[in-house]
């Protein structure tokens, strides 16, 4: 059997419920909805790290962020590990990357960034590209080299390429350019990393395509957002506009694959690094244990993922690296975390994980687990920028997701749930141990 081409389409900060197949009432994602209907939709998919850089480090390494020294942003992917792209290349695949990288620069503090470690606005050298060799059209910090409209990226030779027009369109066009260049001698692994629908930090807003507010202003706010103040009222239409632009571009990409006769032998994944709570849970947009931060869309189509399946099992972003390799017939590396979703959809596993594990950084040194029914989160007192983990954590949140899906009532101080907290604490410790962390002490909530 011919080895499949594999495409990983990655959005940034996209809530799962922006897609129609997850219940979005507006017609924001018709192309993705169609792919979900033809392929496999994972109802309960979650990030393992609701921060941009660490989530990307997990994907490229197959390990939890703390295992490779990438627990926060501005920590470069180690050069001495065997990455996802390395395994694909060894197996004879072409490797291509476009868009946002966010794994080349090192920052020792919030302010300090030494010139020799700063690739935020200049070309990423080959040794810091995580093994992607055949095609590269990317920027380490895409937000620093572009805005919603206009910007620049760099190719594999270090040459700067300026683009005009909407950013998501430009990134997608670079991926389509690769497909037009592709000669078909070997299968390809193409990683497309969009920055939409992430907010534009230097402008302090979400930058949707023109007319987003006009076209999508009649939205119905998700129930969790109305629990807090936040800035969703002014930003959500543009946020949905960004999501719509991604959907449109996925459609263009699929059209190109079909026109070139590649679609029937391509497996495509679509997901995001984390969600967005619009400052309703803390002072920024993510970095929390709440569903709005950790629940992500995940659609796969092609190969084993065809057939209109809807998977209810709990799955994690950390499951995707080994899944991608499995789709190419590459055995799971011994040091990779996670489980192949291909085995799950093919019914080859009798038991599946009963919870997903989340590491939280920058806003806190936090850890959380999510089961079908419970959300349980703990926090340490250490500096969240400097410290990847801690010896002692304090209980922070407990939610009954069956009764309280919008996480309105924190049960962590309710004595009725003492035994539940104890059971969840043991599950959390087991997850931390599997992630290579020291088993901590977990203490009751403190004021």
């Amino acid at each position: 059997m011919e080895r499949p081409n594999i495409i990983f389409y990655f959005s940034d900060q996209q809530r799962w419920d922006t897609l129609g197949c997850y219940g979005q009432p507006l017609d924001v994602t018709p192309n993705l909805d169609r792919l979900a209907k033809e392929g496999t939709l994972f109802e309960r998919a979650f990030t393992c790290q609701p921060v941009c850089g660490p989530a990307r480090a997990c994907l490229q390494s197959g390990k939890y962020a703390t295992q490779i020294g990438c627990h926060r942003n501005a920590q470069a992917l180690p050069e001495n590990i065997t990455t996802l792209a390395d395994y694909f290349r060894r197996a004879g695949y072409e490797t291509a990357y476009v868009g946002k990288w966010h794994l080349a620069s090192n920052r020792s503090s919030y302010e300090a960034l030494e010139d020799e470690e700063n690739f935020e606005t200049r070309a990423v050298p080959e040794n810091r590209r995580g093994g992607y060799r055949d095609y590269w059209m990317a920027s380490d910090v895409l937000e620093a080299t572009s805005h919603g409209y206009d910007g620049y990226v760099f190719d594999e030779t270090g040459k700067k390429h300026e683009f005009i027009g909407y950013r998501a369109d430009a990134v997608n066009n670079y991926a389509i350019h690769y497909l037009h260049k592709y000669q078909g001698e070997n299968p390809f692994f193409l990683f497309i990393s969009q920055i939409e629908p992430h907010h534009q930090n230097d402008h302090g807003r979400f930058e949707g395509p023109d007319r987003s507010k006009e076209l999508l202003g009649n939205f119905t706010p998700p129930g969790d957002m109305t629990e807090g103040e936040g800035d969703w009222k002014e930003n959500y239409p543009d946020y949905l506009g960004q999501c719509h632009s991604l959907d449109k571009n996925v459609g263009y990409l699929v059209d190109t694959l079909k026109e070139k006769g590649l679609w029937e032998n391509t497996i495509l994944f679509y997901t995001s690094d984390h969600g967005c709570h619009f400052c309703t849970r803390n002072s920024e947009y993510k970095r929390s244990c709440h569903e709005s931060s950790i629940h992500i869309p995940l659609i796969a189509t092609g190969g084993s993922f065809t057939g209109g399946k809807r998977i209810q099992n709990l799955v994690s972003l950390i499951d995707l690296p080994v899944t991608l390799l499995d789709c190419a017939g590459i055995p799971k590396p011994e040091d990779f975390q996670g489980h192949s979703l291909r085995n799950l959809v093919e019914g080859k596993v009798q038991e599946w994980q009963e919870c997903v594990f989340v590491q939280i950084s920058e806003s806190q040194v936090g850890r959380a687990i999510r089961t079908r029914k419970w959300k349980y989160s703990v926090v340490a007192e250490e500096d969240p920028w400097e410290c990847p983990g801690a010896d002692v954590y304090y209980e922070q949140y407990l939610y009954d997701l069956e009764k309280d899906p919008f996480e309105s009532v924190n049960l962590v101080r309710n004595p009725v749930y003492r035994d539940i907290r104890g059971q969840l604490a043991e599950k959390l410790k087991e997850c931390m141990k599997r992630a290579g962390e020291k088993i901590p002490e977990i203490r009751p909530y403190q004021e």
Side-chain angles (χ1 to χ4, degrees), residues 92-126:
Y93 271 72
E94 287 190 17
T95 55
Y97 195 98
V98 301
K100 171 180 176 176
W101 179 237
H102 215 179
L103 290 171
S105 302
N106 281 311
R107 188 188 295 272
S108 59
S109 70
Y110 284 107
E111 294 79 24
L113 189 63
E114 301 297 330
D115 286 346
E116 64 270 19
E117 294 293 316
N118 182 2
F119 301 99
E120 292 186 352
T121 58
R122 58 193 179 98
V124 175
E126 184 175 337

Side-chain angles (χ1 to χ4, degrees), residues 78-329:
E79 296 178 38
N80 62 349
I81 65 172
T82 305
T83 65
L84 187 64
D86 288 333
Y87 282 108
F88 272 108
R89 284 192 300 104
R90 291 177 182 179
Y93 271 72
E94 287 190 17
T95 55
Y97 195 98
V98 301
K100 171 180 176 176
W101 179 237
H102 215 179
L103 290 171
S105 302
N106 281 311
R107 188 188 295 272
S108 59
S109 70
Y110 284 107
E111 294 79 24
L113 189 63
E114 301 297 330
D115 286 346
E116 64 270 19
E117 294 293 316
N118 182 2
F119 301 99
E120 292 186 352
T121 58
R122 58 193 179 98
V124 175
E126 184 175 337
N127 63 314
R128 298 215 178 186
R129 296 180 199 155
Y132 292 91
R133 300 283 176 80
D134 296 291
Y135 183 81
W136 177 271
M137 196 68 78
S139 171
D140 187 34
V141 181
L142 186 57
E143 187 199 51
T145 66
S146 63
H147 293 96
Y149 282 87
D150 307 338
Y152 61 91
V153 294
F154 300 92
D155 66 19
E156 59 269 17
T157 71
K159 181 181 178 181
K160 180 178 179 180
H161 291 256
E162 296 187 356
F163 63 82
I164 59 173
Y166 196 61
R167 176 171 52 199
D169 299 342
V171 169
N172 198 72
N173 285 339
Y174 291 131
I176 288 175
H177 179 246
Y178 168 74
L179 295 177
H180 282 296
K181 288 180 56 178
Y182 175 64
Q183 297 297 310
E185 295 181 8
N186 295 300
F188 64 79
F189 172 54
L190 169 60
F191 199 112
I192 304 166
S193 179
Q194 295 274 13
I195 191 172
E196 272 65 38
H198 194 286
H199 60 288
Q200 186 71 33
N201 277 317
D202 61 338
H203 288 172
R205 66 176 185 269
F206 291 80
E207 298 191 339
D210 294 341
R211 299 183 66 219
S212 291
K213 283 186 169 61
E214 175 186 344
L215 297 173
L216 297 164
N218 60 333
F219 64 87
T220 301
D224 67 275
M225 294 199 310
T226 61
E227 294 292 319
E229 293 296 328
D231 62 4
W232 55 270
K233 291 181 181 178
E234 57 266 38
N235 279 307
Y236 197 56
D238 279 299
Y239 182 79
L240 290 178
Q242 292 174 292
C243 295
H244 182 62
S245 74
L246 295 178
D247 180 82
K248 176 187 66 176
N249 279 295
V250 169
Y252 292 154
L253 186 83
V254 170
D255 287 345
T256 299
L257 290 164
K258 290 179 177 178
E259 289 170 5
K260 293 188 66 63
L262 298 170
W263 179 243
E264 294 302 320
N265 193 44
T266 295
I267 300 174
L268 184 149
F269 292 82
Y270 183 95
T271 190
S272 190
D273 56 352
H274 51 75
C276 184
H277 60 67
F278 292 91
C279 305
T280 58
R281 298 296 184 173
N282 55 37
S283 61
E284 44 85 67
Y285 293 103
K286 52 224 179 192
R287 299 180 180 91
S288 87
C289 72
H290 298 89
E291 295 290 281
S292 47
S293 290
I294 68 169
H295 195 171
I296 54 176
L298 176 56
I299 295 168
T301 187
S304 302
F305 299 96
T306 57
K309 307 179 186 77
R310 295 183 78 97
I311 302 297
Q312 300 295 321
N313 303 75
L314 295 157
V315 302
S316 169
L317 201 69
I318 202 68
D319 294 321
L320 290 174
V322 67
T323 301
L324 295 168
L325 294 180
D326 190 20
C327 289

Side-chain angles (χ1 to χ4, degrees), residues 48-62:
C48 52
Q49 233 291 3
V51 183
C52 296
R56 283 162 173 73
C58 295
L59 282 175
Q60 302 301 335
S61 70

